[in-house]
Amino acid sequence: MSAADPPQAAAPDDGPGPSSRHRPFSYLTAPNAPLYRAVMGVFVREKERYTVHLRPEDVHRLLQEEQRPAERETVVEALDRLTEWGNLRPDPDTTRVTAVEDFYRRRYIYQLTREGEAVEEALAAYDAGLGRRGALQAVALADIEARLRELLAHVGQPSPDPAVVHLALRDLAGRFGDLADNARAFMGSLQRTIDLHDADVAVFLAYKDRLIDYLERFIRDLVVTGSAITRLLTELEQPAPTGGPAIDRLLRIAAERDAEDAAPGAPDATDPAVGTDNRALDTALDTWRGKWDGLRGWFLRSSGHEPQAKLLRSAARSAIPQLLAVVSALNERRSGRSDRSADFRALARWFADAPDDASRHRLWRAAFGLYPARHLTIDTTTLERRHAEPVPPSTPWSEAEPLRISPQLRKTGQYERKGKPNKITDRTAERRHLAEIARKQSEEIAAARARLDTGGPIRLSDIGELDPAAFALFLGLLGDALATWRPGITQTVATSNDGGMEIRLRALDGAGTAEIRTPHGVFSGPDHLVEILDVEARAAARLDHGEGNGP
């Protein structure tokens, strides 16, 4: 090989094994990996600027200052190694040849290979996945509702525009995919936040308030917007006059447009009776039906499976008390209250400060109570004799004075004869009583929610008399609404802690005093226009209605 020949990659391994296919990843574990990664980063950035080839001096100049080696030859050696692994391809640099001797000099320009570019794309996706926090996207819920309304309008048209239908379905699938991926990533990062024990207390407490408000807002939007999405999905799955769900017609329109772009001559088209276009159409139709089933499974109950939106709402709800528990634990640590981890740390300091091993042994026995085992009962006479003549704990059994034991103990292994075993206490009546109390409480709460559901805006003065359970629930809702009231606003919306009830409160100009009577007295205050909704009961009713009328 002459001096002008480009460096060749090492001979590949026999067969398409992992060592040959994954050779371009070798630079990640090489001794000089940071430099190799920086050089590849230069090629990736310049490719985005439509620069294909780079000379060694260009690579040396474009490296960041903290990554740039002092000698340019170091960069040349890195380029040669990347060429051997298949990440770069060298080409002779003939643009600067001015004499015959220049043909024999080692001058190359380098560009990314297909394998090298694939490796960098994989690493970028890996880094992006690690840094992704995710989000609960209430805006995505509104976009999904808007796209479903648009599709519902196309269902009623005799000949909908295929381009518009295809674009709406693609937008719907994209927004739903973003919502699902971000929700999964957010709940994962939220659990890691809850499990974090050594976080900065001040930072965590400040973050907690924003996070709980964020979760409550998303739960409210998920209940309200999710109910509308459920209704739209149910309407789109109503039977069409031609048979099958109405949405199937729109899915076929989108699949036909996708099939038009399919490459001819599919390798699996082995049946001459079935054309490539039909195979492409069937594949595209199956893909769209799979996407629709995924969207449907998020909001509608299927056989044996709860909707993913309901599971997400439950997970978000349960995250709030878990966060509060973490805050409580942090407050206990700040107030000086002892916990197990603090006790063990203090014990470790005592062990470190102990002057000798004998002190450490005494500390160990005092802390953990690991005293010598006493298998036999010792009477008062034996204890007095041991006190007068102590026996060291290290005395072997064979050399110690024998213990006098009772013949009854030698014969039966116990001093007294066993009596009848204690009878097992029957707790059936107590459990039945507790179950009855829980049932009555559940019925009282359900009745209170039904009593407070106004069905529309009414005045506070028109609510009438409330029983104690309904009044306690009403006070909680009113407190949540007034907590969000700010100077200058005239109306507000609040949701109960569990997301099941919603109250909308609006001030009235020149309103009088409203009175609500209870068995314990009269509650009075300025009259307002109020609307209370049992959101959870309404959502459950819509879900049951959608399941009953589904295909």
Side-chain angles (χ1 to χ4, degrees):
M1 183 176 67
S2 65
D5 293 333
Q8 299 295 325
D13 299 331
D14 295 336
S19 58
S20 61
R21 293 202 316 269
H22 301 157
R23 189 175 179 82
F25 286 92
S26 301
Y27 76 91
L28 297 175
T29 56
N32 207 11
L35 177 60
Y36 297 139
R37 189 74 193 274
V39 170
M40 292 297 292
V42 169
F43 278 91
V44 171
R45 290 193 298 270
E46 291 304 308
K47 180 179 177 297
E48 294 174 354
R49 300 173 183 173
Y50 305 103
T51 302
V52 178
H53 295 87
L54 289 175
R55 296 185 176 90
E57 55 268 28
D58 297 331
V59 177
H60 185 267
R61 174 177 52 83
L62 293 171
L63 283 171
Q64 298 181 8
E65 186 174 355
E66 63 274 9
Q67 299 171 332
R68 185 185 304 132
E71 300 294 334
R72 196 177 69 179
E73 289 302 320
T74 305
V75 175
V76 175
E77 293 175 1
L79 294 173
D80 291 342
R81 292 292 291 165
L82 290 169
T83 299
E84 293 178 11
W85 290 319
N87 301 86
L88 299 177
R89 190 189 78 189
D91 295 315
D93 185 7
T94 59
T95 58
R96 295 182 295 177
V97 174
T98 58
V100 176
E101 292 80 5
D102 291 337
F103 280 102
Y104 297 97
R105 294 178 182 173
R106 196 169 180 269
R107 298 177 181 270
Y108 305 111
I109 54 177
Y110 297 84
Q111 66 173 336
L112 283 171
T113 62
R114 185 181 61 179
E115 292 81 1
E117 187 174 348
V119 168
E120 290 301 315
E121 290 177 356
L123 293 175
Y126 178 78
D127 292 338
L130 287 181
R132 182 177 185 179
R133 291 185 56 86
L136 298 176
Q137 298 173 308
V139 176
L141 291 171
D143 292 343
I144 291 174
E145 180 186 2
R147 298 289 81 77
L148 290 175
R149 292 186 185 279
E150 184 178 350
L151 292 174
L152 187 61
H154 289 304
V155 166
Q157 297 179 4
S159 55
D161 188 346
V164 177
V165 171
H166 191 207
L167 184 60
L169 280 172
R170 288 181 59 184
D171 194 13
L172 174 64
R175 293 300 284 158
F176 170 68
D178 292 342
L179 172 66
D181 292 343
N182 279 282
R184 181 170 58 252
F186 178 82
M187 295 310 297
S189 62
L190 175 62
Q191 190 59 48
R192 289 191 293 272
T193 301
I194 294 174
D195 295 339
L196 192 60
H197 300 291
D198 298 327
D200 183 80
V201 177
V203 174
F204 180 81
L205 293 179
Y207 171 68
K208 175 264 304 180
D209 294 331
R210 299 194 304 270
L211 181 59
I212 291 180
D213 181 65
Y214 180 69
L215 288 172
E216 290 178 342
R217 224 171 38 244
F218 178 77
I219 292 172
R220 181 177 65 248
D221 292 336
L222 184 60
V223 171
V224 177
T225 311
S227 300
I229 292 176
T230 300
R231 179 180 56 80
L232 292 170
L233 289 172
T234 303
E235 293 180 8
L236 284 168
E237 292 195 341
Q238 294 294 327
T242 57
I247 189 61
D248 276 0
R249 179 188 175 202
L250 302 183
L251 296 179
R252 179 170 289 275
I253 290 175
E256 289 173 352
R257 283 183 58 84
D258 286 338
E260 291 177 1
D261 295 333
D268 59 344
T270 57
D271 187 359
V274 180
T276 304
D277 293 340
N278 289 335
R279 288 184 179 274
L281 176 60
D282 293 341
T283 302
L285 187 56
D286 290 342
T287 301
W288 279 111
R289 284 174 176 167
K291 293 179 180 179
W292 181 260
D293 290 341
L295 176 61
R296 186 187 186 281
W298 241 72
F299 295 98
L300 293 179
R301 185 187 295 114
S302 58
S303 57
H305 297 283
E306 291 289 340
Q308 291 296 320
K310 183 177 180 180
L311 299 179
L312 176 62
R313 184 177 62 186
S314 300
R317 283 179 179 174
S318 64
I320 295 177
Q322 291 180 39
L323 281 170
L324 295 178
V326 173
V327 173
S328 177
L330 292 175
N331 287 333
E332 289 181 359
R333 292 184 185 180
R334 296 171 69 188
S335 61
R337 292 184 59 180
S338 177
D339 58 7
R340 183 171 298 179
S341 61
D343 292 342
F344 280 125
R345 286 194 295 269
L347 183 60
R349 288 194 295 270
W350 293 346
F351 272 110
D353 295 338
D356 50 32
D357 286 343
S359 301
R360 296 185 184 96
H361 285 302
R362 287 196 298 272
L363 179 59
W364 174 270
R365 288 194 295 270
F368 299 101
L370 298 180
Y371 302 103
R374 296 183 182 272
H375 301 287
L376 302 174
T377 301
I378 300 179
D379 55 15
T380 305
T381 304
T382 305
L383 290 176
E384 290 177 353
R385 187 168 60 252
R386 289 288 178 88
H387 182 71
E389 299 177 2
V391 179
S394 59
T395 303
W397 282 77
S398 60
E399 301 176 4
E401 182 182 356
L403 289 175
R404 309 297 176 181
I405 62 175
S406 169
Q408 176 73 17
L409 178 63
R410 182 186 298 114
K411 180 180 179 180
T412 63
Q414 53 189 326
Y415 282 108
E416 299 178 357
R417 183 177 304 214
K418 286 186 176 180
K420 291 183 178 181
N422 295 330
K423 292 183 178 180
I424 300 176
T425 305
D426 186 4
R427 305 290 184 185
T428 304
E430 288 84 350
R431 287 197 296 269
R432 187 182 302 112
H433 177 66
L434 292 176
E436 182 65 20
I437 292 177
R439 184 187 63 80
K440 289 182 179 179
Q441 290 177 347
S442 178
E443 291 177 353
E444 289 178 356
I445 293 175
R449 287 189 170 192
R451 170 66 179 84
L452 289 179
D453 194 331
T454 60
I458 64 171
R459 286 176 173 265
L460 282 175
S461 55
D462 295 334
I463 289 181
E465 186 173 352
L466 296 177
D467 58 73
F471 182 67
L473 182 58
F474 169 75
L475 280 183
L477 288 171
L478 187 61
D480 293 337
L482 294 178
T484 62
W485 200 278
R486 298 291 183 270
I489 67 173
T490 58
Q491 59 183 0
T492 185
V493 178
T495 307
S496 60
N497 291 335
D498 61 355
M501 299 289 291
E502 181 179 283
I503 181 172
R504 301 174 182 176
L505 195 65
R506 189 173 68 188
L508 296 175
D509 295 334
T513 301
E515 293 185 351
I516 299 177
R517 299 187 177 276
T518 71
H520 303 292
V522 179
F523 175 80
S524 62
D527 204 1
H528 285 70
L529 196 66
V530 63
E531 181 179 6
I532 302 176
L533 303 175
D534 189 353
V535 179
E536 193 168 83
R538 296 187 179 196
R542 290 194 186 99
L543 286 175
D544 294 338
H545 176 72
E547 183 182 25
N549 296 334

